[in-house]
Amino acid sequence: MIKENQPEIIDVEELMKDLESDEDEDGEEEDDDKENIRPNIEKENVDCSRQNCSTTAVPLSEIDVSSFRRPDLNSCTLFDPKLLSAFEQAVKEHMKMNEEIHHVEKKPRIEEEEEEEESDPLLAFEEKCPAGGDGSVILYTTTLKGIRKTFEDCNSVRFLLESFKVIFYERDISMHSEYKEELWRILGGKVMPPRLFIKGRYIGGADEVLTLHEQGKLKVLFNGIPLDNCNGACEGCGGVRFVLCFVCNGSHKIIGDDGMSSECMKCNENGLIVCPLCC
């Protein structure tokens, strides 16, 4: 005769008690493993208010490193709160030190920049002084239209100087060969106009002058140059800066008593002399 298996009766109350006891044991083990538990803020605040605790930061030199707990790599919270606080304080002190160093380095730079601004900006240019160019503005140009770009560059620089209303002396190399030789001798080669000189300093050609003007650095170079208060062109030459020779009347030749002609020594190869009124 086959015996039937009777179902085992489970006591639910005993099972629940066993589960609750297991959970309590697991919770105690987890608490033992945790080395960093979030502090109770309310409890700490109460204790701090009772004991009048100070919130001032402790200097790094006075912190006892041995008081930090060694982190457990198997724990979900690795860092000791004291260690984090000390690290944060060290970072703040390092940032403060860097700011002080940066401030000390920045101050001399500002003083150097101010000294450069107060100094004469002309000192940055090469010293090359034409005859009579010390303390004045001299512009070498040409009025010949043989090379269109050269002619237009001369007009551009001349117009720029006239807009500043400063007194400048224009030396036309096409009207006077001595000006051309003088320019080539100063710059050491056969250069083309325009060429600008201010107070014995060589500023450059059209490209350099126009670039300085676009950067706002040209006008300051004319400090100390007298202004041109004339309302119009010169009454003697009409702005050409040359007039006919009074001796040969522009022929560049003189007829002697013997009927022989000789070269006039008072004018240039074109029978012209520099205007005595404006130049």
Side-chain angles (χ1 to χ4, degrees):
M1 182 176 182
I2 301 173
K3 295 181 180 181
E4 295 181 358
N5 294 329
Q6 295 296 329
E8 184 179 356
I9 299 173
I10 300 174
D11 190 350
V12 178
E13 294 181 358
E14 293 181 358
L15 180 62
M16 293 300 294
K17 290 180 180 179
D18 294 338
L19 290 176
E20 289 176 358
S21 61
D22 292 341
E23 289 178 356
D24 294 338
E25 292 178 358
D26 294 340
E28 291 177 357
E29 291 178 357
E30 290 180 358
D31 292 340
D32 293 338
D33 290 340
K34 288 184 179 179
E35 60 185 27
N36 295 317
I37 302 174
R38 185 179 183 86
N40 190 345
I41 298 175
E42 295 179 357
K43 184 177 180 180
E44 287 186 359
N45 291 338
V46 173
D47 295 339
C48 184
S49 61
R50 290 177 180 177
Q51 299 175 5
N52 295 324
C53 60
S54 176
T55 57
T56 57
V58 180
L60 292 178
S61 59
E62 299 179 4
I63 296 178
D64 185 10
V65 181
S66 61
S67 63
F68 300 147
R69 292 198 303 272
R70 188 177 184 83
D72 183 5
L73 299 179
N74 296 324
S75 175
C76 59
T77 55
L78 294 178
F79 298 105
D80 189 342
K82 294 182 180 180
L83 179 62
L84 291 175
S85 177
F87 177 75
E88 183 179 0
Q89 184 177 351
V91 171
K92 291 181 179 179
E93 291 184 2
H94 180 70
M95 293 176 63
K96 184 178 180 181
M97 187 183 302
N98 287 342
E99 290 178 357
E100 293 177 354
I101 295 174
H102 180 69
H103 180 71
V104 172
E105 292 178 351
K106 188 176 180 181
K107 189 174 181 180
R109 292 180 183 176
I110 296 174
E111 293 177 354
E112 290 177 0
E113 292 177 357
E114 291 177 353
E115 290 178 358
E116 290 178 357
E117 291 178 356
E118 292 177 358
S119 62
D120 189 358
L122 283 172
L123 298 178
F125 297 91
E126 186 178 4
E127 185 176 2
K128 289 182 179 293
C129 185
D134 189 15
S136 60
V137 179
I138 295 179
L139 175 64
Y140 289 88
T141 62
T142 180
T143 53
L144 292 180
K145 299 181 181 180
I147 302 177
R148 182 175 179 179
K149 185 179 185 308
T150 302
F151 177 75
E152 291 177 350
D153 288 344
C154 291
N155 289 340
S156 299
V157 177
R158 184 190 303 110
F159 175 79
L160 192 59
L161 297 183
E162 290 175 350
S163 65
F164 288 136
K165 295 186 180 300
V166 294
I167 295 177
F168 68 96
Y169 300 99
E170 182 177 354
R171 296 182 177 179
D172 191 345
I173 65 173
S174 63
M175 300 285 286
H176 196 25
S177 61
E178 290 186 6
Y179 289 160
K180 180 176 64 177
E181 295 173 358
E182 181 181 76
L183 177 62
W184 289 0
R185 183 174 62 255
I186 295 171
L187 297 182
K190 296 182 178 181
V191 296
M192 298 296 294
R195 302 290 166 173
L196 180 63
F197 296 82
I198 301 177
K199 294 182 180 181
R201 299 281 177 168
Y202 174 56
I203 307 304
D207 294 337
E208 292 81 2
V209 173
L210 294 177
T211 300
L212 288 172
H213 177 60
E214 291 174 356
Q215 295 175 350
K217 299 179 180 179
L218 181 61
K219 189 174 182 180
V220 295
L221 302 180
F222 296 106
N223 291 338
I225 302 297
L227 298 178
D228 187 3
N229 297 320
C230 298
N231 296 325
C234 175
E235 296 179 357
C237 64
V240 181
R241 295 180 174 81
F242 286 93
V243 294
L244 293 175
C245 178
F246 302 133
V247 178
C248 66
N249 294 323
S251 64
H252 195 49
K253 292 181 179 181
I254 297 177
I255 307 298
D257 296 336
D258 56 358
M260 299 294 293
S261 64
S262 60
E263 185 176 332
C264 179
M265 304 303 295
K266 299 294 184 181
C267 59
N268 61 14
E269 69 279 5
N270 296 317
L272 302 174
I273 61 173
V274 176
C275 178
L277 298 179
C278 63
C279 297

